Amino acid sequence: MDNSSGVGVSGVGVIDKAAMVLDALEAGPTSLAQLVAATGLARPTVHRLALALVHHRLVGRDIQGRFVLGSRLVELASAAGEDRLIASAGPVLLALRDATGESSQVFRRQGEWRVCVASAERPIGLRDTIPVGTQLSMKAGSAAQVLLAWEDHDRLLEGLQHARFTPTVLAGVRRRGWAQSLGEREPGVASVSAPVRGPSGRVIAAISISGPIERLTRQPGRIHAEVVSRAAGQLTEALRANSD
């Protein structure tokens, strides 16, 4: 069996293949063709497994008919305890806020949006307040750039439609390993973001700082990219350690 997705082989074929499908959906909404490419499995096999997983609500469908991780997984995760990303993010975000003096956040992609799942606000002065649960556009901002930059070709092209950033910008994000934005999401606000990777190596979230351009300057990455990238690495390592 092809194991290109990185899922371990248990010896129970149907479970291994189902796990490959779920692993492929970690990156977001996925067409049947993309599932076939990601898993290396035969198209009829992938289709049959995906529909069976839909039946059990482990997989769902978005409004465009693409496959997404299902609501049953959220219920199971809640039953198993607090989300590992959120649980691990708190101390990292506090340290990042204290190191930079700016509000810090973790964003995760949910369909066509990026959602703030954890944050540490700057306690005083002018700040960019993004409460937990806030839905923001995937078309603007450094976190959106990070969440899109490592997607496959089809998702990349789709995400760039009507975006405030360009393919050249995303190529720079992949090359540097971090993103910056100046007034993309909101006039006068700058931000710096870096990718958080899950145990499989996929980008599953973006960690960011944001604040007024007057304070972050027009080259916020030059000042803060190193510390933001270090925080992303710490959160990535925490997720890897918690998965062992």
Side-chain angles (χ1 to χ4, degrees):
M1 181 181 69
D2 187 342
N3 193 31
S4 58
S5 68
V7 176
V9 176
S10 71
V12 181
V14 67
I15 299 297
D16 291 336
K17 292 173 183 175
M20 291 172 71
V21 171
L22 293 172
D23 186 63
L25 294 177
E26 184 181 4
T30 307
S31 69
L32 180 59
Q34 289 169 332
L35 273 181
V36 170
T39 61
L41 300 171
R43 185 183 181 92
T45 300
V46 173
H47 189 242
R48 185 173 66 252
L49 285 169
L51 292 181
L53 291 167
V54 168
H55 176 78
H56 290 287
R57 295 194 298 121
L58 295 169
V59 168
R61 307 290 285 268
D62 69 6
I63 58 173
Q64 297 178 30
R66 297 173 299 183
F67 294 101
V68 296
L69 292 175
S71 59
R72 181 60 181 149
L73 292 174
V74 177
E75 297 166 2
L76 292 171
S78 177
E82 190 176 9
D83 182 287
R84 285 204 302 268
L85 175 64
I86 297 171
S88 301
V92 176
L93 286 175
L94 288 171
L96 180 59
R97 180 199 65 186
D98 293 345
T100 62
E102 303 297 342
S103 299
S104 59
Q105 310 90 26
V106 170
F107 291 96
R108 187 159 49 190
R109 183 172 186 175
Q110 293 183 7
E112 304 306 313
W113 303 93
R114 55 183 171 102
V115 179
C116 179
V117 297
S119 69
E121 296 290 352
R122 188 175 194 265
I124 58 173
L126 187 62
R127 59 187 180 270
D128 184 32
T129 300
I130 304 175
V132 170
T134 300
Q135 288 186 324
L136 296 176
S137 172
M138 277 293 296
K139 303 296 185 180
S142 64
Q145 294 174 25
V146 164
L147 291 170
L148 186 60
W150 283 272
E151 291 278 27
D152 65 35
H153 181 70
D154 290 343
R155 286 204 194 100
L156 200 62
L157 291 180
E158 182 182 336
L160 281 165
Q161 293 179 11
H162 311 298
R164 297 284 303 276
F165 42 79
T166 65
T168 301
V169 168
L170 295 189
V173 172
R174 289 191 298 272
R175 184 179 66 252
R176 295 189 307 265
W178 54 268
Q180 65 178 4
S181 68
L182 298 169
E184 271 188 16
R185 173 178 61 82
E186 185 177 336
V189 173
S191 66
V192 180
S193 300
V196 177
R197 297 180 183 272
S200 69
R202 284 191 174 88
V203 174
I204 62 168
I207 190 167
S208 307
I209 61 164
S210 58
I213 292 176
E214 288 81 1
R215 212 165 45 230
L216 271 74
T217 78
R218 299 197 67 83
Q219 292 184 306
R222 187 166 68 176
I223 302 171
H224 296 299
E226 183 177 353
V227 67
V228 174
S229 296
R230 187 161 58 243
Q234 291 168 347
L235 191 46
T236 295
E237 287 302 316
L239 293 174
R240 184 174 293 125
N242 288 338
S243 71
D244 291 340

